[in-house]
Amino acid sequence: MAQKPSIPKGTRDFSPEEMAKRNYIFDTIKSVYKLHGFSQIETPSMENLSTLMGKYGEEGDKLLFKILNSGDFLKSVNDEQLLGRNCVKLTNSLCEKGLRYDLTVPFARFVVQHRNEIQFPFKRFQIQPVWRADRPQKGRYREFYQCDADVIGTDSLLNEVDFVQIIDEVFKKFGINITIKLNNRKILSGIAEIIGEPEKIIDITVAIDKIDKIGIENVNAELIEKGISEEAVKQLQPILTLSGDNNEKVEVLSKLLASSEIGMKGIEELKFVIENADLIGVESTVEFDVSLARGLNYYTGTIIEVKANDVEIGSITGGGRYDNLTGVFGLDGVSGVGISFGADRIFDVLNQLDLYPDNAKNGTSILFVNFGDKEAMASLKHIKTLRANGISCELYPEQSKMKKQMGYANNNHIPYVAIIGENELNNNTITVKCMETGVQEEINVEQLVEKLK
Amino acid sequence: MAQKPSIPKGTRDFSPEEMAKRNYIFDTIKSVYKLHGFSQIETPSMENLSTLMGKYGEEGDKLLFKILNSGDFLKSVNDEQLLGRNCVKLTNSLCEKGLRYDLTVPFARFVVQHRNEIQFPFKRFQIQPVWRADRPQKGRYREFYQCDADVIGTDSLLNEVDFVQIIDEVFKKFGINITIKLNNRKILSGIAEIIGEPEKIIDITVAIDKIDKIGIENVNAELIEKGISEEAVKQLQPILTLSGDNNEKVEVLSKLLASSEIGMKGIEELKFVIENADLIGVESTVEFDVSLARGLNYYTGTIIEVKANDVEIGSITGGGRYDNLTGVFGLDGVSGVGISFGADRIFDVLNQLDLYPDNAKNGTSILFVNFGDKEAMASLKHIKTLRANGISCELYPEQSKMKKQMGYANNNHIPYVAIIGENELNNNTITVKCMETGVQEEINVEQLVEKLK
């Protein structure tokens, strides 16, 4: 036999069981997005490389999957260039297109390209795969789905409140206990300003983020190493050791940041979101976390991250506000805020906590055993009635041994088997066997519909 | 401003309205597949080129999108090979992966790779995009969805009957009148055998297929030109001019093919499918069409093609039986039968006939106008109640001018607008305006739920 075929590393096949679970995740997120008035869009899997390159940093450019031009892909390369073997430069000549790396840049491109057809504020969601030529490892794939929602063309903080609500509702539906961590980029800017190190904001937030992992002593040492003055590090201490509930933290920071206009603006925004989320009945824990600094180069206001309370795993959802999503494509002044659910991690969390509802594993409800042509045709008529009532059912296609047919039901987790033999043909009935209990009963098709509905 | 961004030719963005329509199509097909006991799988967008190459003919190999290897993609190419500029050969060194070209080959690969986990007969459906580097033209795209279902590991013709039923049910749901055309490869083999030209079966069926377009005279001339004897062409005449209903056609062919074992087997199979589809209550026209020869190199038994009766457009669904799907990956003896719905053409047909149901255009049911913080918070509480009842609704995020907010509702086709001012705050009511009629009424939230449910 030929070598067993395989798939590229970092990619996955999804079995029926996995697909049912994944659909449960996507459908749940989608239903909440829709309840909140978001509309779905899709963009092509491939974008022009000019759209993608330079948007994810130098490292990101390397991680883009590029598509070889069709036909004579060497036509614009001369011999000298070829022999130069500069792969980065040659890529630009050999490839015009690449696979999308995330949903955000294609969305920005979409908004600019279709700006005359779009009604602002524009609330869109998008659930599609993305591709990254990352080194594959446990839990990191080269093809994975993102589930993004964004509102653009509005500065209102009510949008942030809406997203906190969406997160709360989605995870309530999943039955996953979460903590919604909030921060605000303006607070981080205020901190850098107050301690007189506005240029060092990235170093400072990276350090704050490490406290849990390496401890305060090491963080302080690292800050000094990065060239931050001892005085500034001293000033940072109340922030690094910030504790208590949201009100207490806000109180401490309000004092520290009193003289920073941008810092106080950040605190005001944070308070608005936390207070209104509470007023509107968000039940998940909402926690102000000043160490939250994800996507710092990108977010300009609210920063959101979600952790599962009962499973050790990274962030399962994240997002924030950005001021100039579309500027890179020449359309300035479009502010937006958005979130992204991490479907693969949510899949793992639901598996670990065994939280999938039974109907997320749904398949065929009842298998009709095949005893021959006459019985099969009688079965098909009953099957038609069942399907008209929305019940998934099937006839075993061959007149195989009973054992084989029952094995099919068993292996496919089909809960009931219907048997139509001579008796049942004469009585116009169906003998129904429950696969779990083994109990059999002879009923008519209306009763069967009632039973399975 | 920078140049307006664009997308690669042959690809598409889908707007919220288009997405709603597309989801209606996919969801309808999916629901019928599930009612018939099919399980969904997904395979990666990229496959190893060794899996894809050679499966679609030389032309197909050219139409595969190939992905440039990451890093130093020239490392296995020497200078001489580079300067040779043989693009076809070089592709094998530069690229290991390609985008899937259809869902059939990845499915065959899936079956062989996972054969120890699969329960046969295996009934799977798969709805995913495929990519082809075809010359883009009207109605032909470089990225498009296929909606396939296949049953493998069973020879039973009941599977064919099941697919005819599935097709009938799907298009009944869409409200599209169709003709399901059936043929059988064994009948075509029988014809070639009887006229003594078994080697010319492809030429003969290509010719038969052209009768409608070029007429019988030209077809005869073409057959002679292809080297088929005058005697054979003469024998072919009753077939080329076959007419009448299915029974009449079958009768004529039964006489002609009486001495061909394979031909008679084909007729027997065809009759089984047509008769049982009728018995089981298939309402669409089922027509035996001996000129149907699609995928000839591939199908070995039943051939299925669906035409829309009221729109001039090519086949909107097709399929058939194949005897050795997985042989190319080293697993012999796996017979199967499958169909594929053409989502893009169905999209066009539904548009042309204006058959989309209202709920296929669904979005937000009601927009709450924003008059300020106090009113907004009251609105959000009502909105929470509405959403708990499954009603999509949203608050306009900014306290903009009434005209702008109403314009938003209008442009997004939101049927109702809710207004909460001082009066409504005091009365704990909501003034609801119907955007179509302009009629307003002041009701409470329970009444609003009833109204919109």
Side-chain angles (χ1 to χ4, degrees):
Chain A
M1 196 181 119
Q3 206 193 341
K4 200 170 165 180
S6 62
I7 51 178
K9 59 183 177 178
T11 69
R12 292 166 288 174
D13 282 327
F14 294 110
S15 69
E17 198 188 326
E18 289 164 329
M19 276 308 295
K21 289 178 172 181
R22 288 171 65 82
N23 282 335
Y24 165 69
I25 294 172
F26 296 136
D27 290 347
T28 302
I29 293 169
K30 194 170 160 175
S31 72
V32 175
Y33 281 157
K34 287 174 89 169
L35 280 177
H36 284 252
F38 287 77
S39 304
Q40 190 171 14
I41 68 160
E42 281 188 5
T43 61
S45 301
M46 40 180 90
E47 295 274 353
N48 292 320
L49 275 180
S50 57
T51 298
L52 301 175
M53 296 287 279
K55 309 303 189 297
Y56 308 103
E58 209 174 307
E59 195 52 32
D61 282 352
K62 283 189 201 150
L63 299 184
L64 289 170
F65 280 111
K66 287 120 192 156
I67 294 164
L68 192 67
N69 292 340
S70 300
D72 180 7
F73 52 80
L74 292 178
K75 66 171 176 253
S76 68
V77 188
N78 64 35
D79 287 355
E80 199 184 336
Q81 288 167 322
L82 266 184
L83 295 176
R85 290 178 177 265
N86 182 329
C87 282
V88 174
K89 274 194 188 159
L90 277 175
T91 299
N92 296 326
S93 306
L94 303 182
C95 304
E96 274 170 13
K97 296 179 285 289
L99 295 178
R100 73 175 156 252
Y101 180 90
D102 69 1
L103 301 179
T104 306
V105 167
F107 176 53
R109 191 268 311 147
F110 180 98
V111 169
V112 177
Q113 191 176 332
H114 301 284
R115 62 183 178 278
N116 296 326
E117 305 134 47
I118 289 174
Q119 168 74 25
F120 294 98
F122 183 45
K123 300 169 71 170
R124 87 84 171 80
F125 76 91
Q126 195 171 350
I127 299 179
Q128 293 192 273
V130 302
W131 295 269
R132 297 181 185 179
D134 254 322
R135 189 179 300 278
Q137 48 182 276
K138 192 181 172 306
R140 185 180 290 177
Y141 303 102
R142 292 184 148 193
E143 174 177 47
F144 59 97
Y145 271 73
Q146 291 192 332
C147 310
D148 284 20
D150 291 83
V151 189
I152 58 159
T154 162
D155 291 326
S156 167
L157 291 166
L158 286 173
N159 296 301
E160 273 88 336
V161 176
D162 196 32
F163 279 119
V164 172
Q165 250 190 306
I166 287 174
I167 291 169
D168 183 52
E169 284 169 35
V170 164
F171 287 105
K172 215 181 291 164
K173 279 181 192 248
F174 286 141
I176 299 176
N177 294 318
I178 54 158
T179 299
I180 303 172
K181 296 189 170 194
L182 293 181
N183 197 7
N184 193 300
R185 160 68 191 251
K186 298 190 176 91
I187 293 177
L188 298 175
S189 299
I191 292 170
E193 188 180 302
I194 287 293
I195 62 170
E197 303 272 8
E199 308 300 311
K200 303 279 187 190
I201 178 164
I202 290 178
D203 293 333
I204 292 169
T205 49
V206 166
I208 293 178
D209 194 36
K210 282 188 181 167
I211 288 180
D212 282 350
K213 282 181 216 137
I214 64 173
I216 182 97
E217 299 300 322
N218 290 318
V219 164
N220 286 340
E222 204 173 294
L223 287 169
I224 300 276
E225 206 175 289
K226 297 268 181 198
I228 293 170
S229 71
E230 292 211 17
E231 178 55 26
V233 172
K234 203 172 146 198
Q235 274 182 288
L236 266 179
Q237 296 307 301
I239 295 164
L240 298 180
T241 57
L242 205 60
S243 66
D245 64 20
N246 292 337
N247 286 333
E248 289 165 336
K249 288 183 192 168
V250 164
E251 210 176 316
V252 172
L253 267 179
S254 296
K255 281 180 199 151
L256 281 165
L257 296 181
S259 66
S260 161
E261 195 183 331
I262 190 163
M264 291 310 287
K265 179 93 176 96
I267 286 181
E268 189 192 315
E269 290 184 6
L270 179 84
K271 278 171 71 177
F272 183 93
V273 177
I274 291 178
E275 284 171 11
N276 283 291
D278 185 47
L279 263 178
I280 217 61
V282 165
E283 291 170 21
S284 306
T285 307
V286 175
E287 183 188 308
F288 168 34
D289 180 352
V290 75
S291 76
L292 193 63
R294 53 177 290 135
L296 190 72
N297 294 315
Y298 182 66
Y299 294 127
T300 52
T302 302
I303 304 171
I304 307 172
E305 194 167 273
V306 178
K307 292 274 197 176
N309 293 343
D310 306 320
V311 176
E312 275 296 324
I313 199 164
S315 149
I316 52 179
T317 292
R321 178 172 286 278
Y322 38 82
D323 267 354
N324 197 3
L325 176 70
T326 55
V328 68
F329 295 116
L331 182 65
D332 282 320
V334 177
S335 167
V337 53
I339 58 171
S340 184
F341 286 94
D344 286 302
R345 285 192 177 160
I346 292 171
F347 182 90
D348 290 344
V349 172
L350 290 171
N351 262 340
Q352 277 190 53
L353 300 177
D354 195 18
L355 286 175
Y356 285 103
D358 282 343
N359 62 10
K361 303 161 191 164
N362 70 334
T364 297
S365 296
I366 186 163
L367 173 77
F368 281 70
V369 170
N370 189 335
F371 283 130
D373 288 351
K374 212 164 50 169
E375 292 84 355
M377 284 315 293
S379 297
L380 284 176
K381 283 182 183 160
H382 292 316
I383 282 174
K384 200 173 179 189
T385 307
L386 291 171
R387 287 182 186 146
N389 284 282
I391 297 161
S392 297
C393 49
E394 54 185 300
L395 169 69
Y396 194 84
E398 316 217 351
Q399 196 185 331
S400 307
K401 284 192 181 133
M402 189 71 171
K403 195 180 159 196
K404 192 172 174 196
Q405 300 193 42
M406 296 305 269
Y408 177 86
N410 228 352
N411 288 323
N412 284 314
H413 311 291
I414 301 175
Y416 293 97
V417 161
I419 298 157
I420 296 193
E422 215 176 316
N423 244 341
E424 289 82 1
L425 272 181
N426 291 333
N427 302 341
N428 196 25
T429 54
I430 304 156
T431 293
V432 179
K433 179 177 178 173
C434 173
M435 293 297 282
E436 198 185 325
T437 62
V439 173
Q440 289 196 184
E441 53 180 335
E442 191 180 338
I443 56 182
N444 64 32
V445 71
E446 289 78 23
Q447 290 168 314
L448 183 57
V449 167
E450 272 318 301
K451 190 182 173 73
L452 297 180
K453 231 179 168 172
Chain B
M1 198 183 122
Q3 206 193 343
K4 200 170 166 179
S6 62
I7 51 179
K9 58 183 177 178
T11 69
R12 291 166 289 174
D13 282 326
F14 295 109
S15 70
E17 199 188 326
E18 288 163 330
M19 277 308 295
K21 290 177 172 181
R22 288 170 65 83
N23 282 334
Y24 165 69
I25 294 171
F26 296 136
D27 291 346
T28 301
I29 294 168
K30 193 170 160 176
S31 72
V32 176
Y33 281 158
K34 287 174 89 169
L35 280 176
H36 284 252
F38 287 77
S39 304
Q40 191 170 13
I41 68 160
E42 280 188 5
T43 61
S45 301
M46 40 179 89
E47 294 275 351
N48 292 320
L49 276 180
S50 56
T51 299
L52 301 175
M53 297 287 278
K55 309 304 189 296
Y56 308 103
E58 210 174 307
E59 195 52 33
D61 282 352
K62 283 190 201 151
L63 299 183
L64 289 170
F65 280 111
K66 287 120 191 158
I67 294 164
L68 192 66
N69 292 340
S70 300
D72 180 9
F73 51 80
L74 292 178
K75 65 170 177 254
S76 67
V77 188
N78 64 35
D79 288 355
E80 199 183 335
Q81 288 167 321
L82 267 183
L83 295 176
R85 290 177 176 265
N86 181 330
C87 282
V88 174
K89 273 194 189 159
L90 277 174
T91 299
N92 295 325
S93 307
L94 302 181
C95 303
E96 276 169 12
K97 295 179 286 290
L99 294 178
R100 74 174 156 252
Y101 179 89
D102 69 1
L103 301 179
T104 307
V105 167
F107 175 53
R109 191 268 310 147
F110 179 97
V111 169
V112 177
Q113 191 175 331
H114 301 283
R115 62 184 178 278
N116 296 326
E117 304 134 48
I118 289 173
Q119 168 75 24
F120 293 98
F122 183 46
K123 299 169 71 169
R124 87 85 172 80
F125 75 91
Q126 193 170 350
I127 299 178
Q128 291 193 274
V130 302
W131 295 269
R132 297 181 184 179
D134 253 324
R135 189 180 300 278
Q137 48 181 274
K138 193 181 172 306
R140 183 180 291 177
Y141 304 102
R142 292 184 148 193
E143 174 177 47
F144 59 97
Y145 271 73
Q146 290 192 333
C147 310
D148 284 19
D150 292 83
V151 190
I152 57 159
T154 161
D155 291 327
S156 167
L157 290 167
L158 286 173
N159 297 301
E160 274 87 335
V161 176
D162 196 32
F163 279 120
V164 171
Q165 250 190 305
I166 287 175
I167 291 168
D168 183 53
E169 285 170 34
V170 164
F171 287 105
K172 214 180 291 164
K173 279 182 192 245
F174 286 141
I176 299 176
N177 294 317
I178 54 159
T179 299
I180 303 173
K181 296 189 170 195
L182 292 181
N183 197 6
N184 194 299
R185 161 68 191 252
K186 297 190 177 91
I187 294 176
L188 297 176
S189 299
I191 293 171
E193 189 179 303
I194 287 294
I195 62 169
E197 303 272 7
E199 306 301 311
K200 303 280 187 191
I201 177 165
I202 291 179
D203 293 333
I204 292 169
T205 48
V206 166
I208 293 177
D209 194 36
K210 282 187 183 168
I211 288 181
D212 281 351
K213 282 181 217 138
I214 65 174
I216 182 98
E217 299 300 321
N218 290 316
V219 164
N220 285 340
E222 203 174 296
L223 287 168
I224 301 276
E225 205 175 290
K226 296 269 181 198
I228 293 170
S229 71
E230 291 211 17
E231 177 57 26
V233 171
K234 202 172 149 198
Q235 273 180 289
L236 265 179
Q237 296 309 300
I239 295 164
L240 298 179
T241 57
L242 205 60
S243 65
D245 64 20
N246 291 336
N247 285 333
E248 290 164 336
K249 289 183 192 168
V250 164
E251 210 176 315
V252 171
L253 267 179
S254 296
K255 281 180 197 151
L256 280 165
L257 296 180
S259 66
S260 162
E261 195 184 331
I262 189 163
M264 291 311 287
K265 177 93 176 97
I267 286 182
E268 189 193 316
E269 290 184 6
L270 179 84
K271 277 171 73 178
F272 183 92
V273 177
I274 291 178
E275 285 171 12
N276 283 291
D278 186 47
L279 264 179
I280 216 61
V282 165
E283 291 171 20
S284 307
T285 308
V286 175
E287 182 188 309
F288 168 34
D289 180 353
V290 74
S291 77
L292 193 64
R294 51 177 290 136
L296 190 72
N297 294 316
Y298 181 67
Y299 294 128
T300 52
T302 301
I303 304 172
I304 307 173
E305 193 168 273
V306 179
K307 291 274 197 176
N309 294 343
D310 306 320
V311 176
E312 276 295 326
I313 199 165
S315 149
I316 53 179
T317 292
R321 177 172 288 278
Y322 38 83
D323 266 354
N324 197 3
L325 177 70
T326 54
V328 69
F329 295 116
L331 181 66
D332 281 321
V334 178
S335 168
V337 52
I339 57 170
S340 183
F341 286 94
D344 286 303
R345 285 192 177 161
I346 292 171
F347 182 90
D348 290 343
V349 172
L350 290 171
N351 262 340
Q352 277 191 53
L353 300 177
D354 195 19
L355 286 175
Y356 286 103
D358 283 342
N359 61 10
K361 303 160 191 162
N362 71 332
T364 297
S365 296
I366 186 161
L367 173 77
F368 281 70
V369 170
N370 190 334
F371 283 130
D373 288 351
K374 214 164 48 169
E375 292 84 356
M377 285 315 293
S379 297
L380 284 176
K381 283 179 184 161
H382 293 315
I383 283 174
K384 199 171 181 193
T385 306
L386 291 171
R387 286 181 186 147
N389 285 282
I391 297 161
S392 297
C393 49
E394 55 185 299
L395 169 68
Y396 194 85
E398 316 217 350
Q399 196 185 331
S400 307
K401 284 194 181 131
M402 189 70 172
K403 195 180 158 197
K404 193 172 175 196
Q405 299 193 42
M406 296 305 270
Y408 177 86
N410 228 351
N411 288 324
N412 285 312
H413 311 290
I414 301 175
Y416 293 97
V417 161
I419 298 157
I420 296 194
E422 215 177 316
N423 243 342
E424 289 82 1
L425 272 182
N426 292 334
N427 302 341
N428 196 26
T429 53
I430 304 157
T431 293
V432 179
K433 179 177 178 173
C434 172
M435 292 297 281
E436 198 186 324
T437 63
V439 174
Q440 290 195 185
E441 53 181 334
E442 191 180 337
I443 56 182
N444 64 32
V445 70
E446 289 78 23
Q447 291 168 314
L448 183 55
V449 167
E450 273 318 300
K451 191 182 172 73
L452 297 180
K453 232 179 165 173

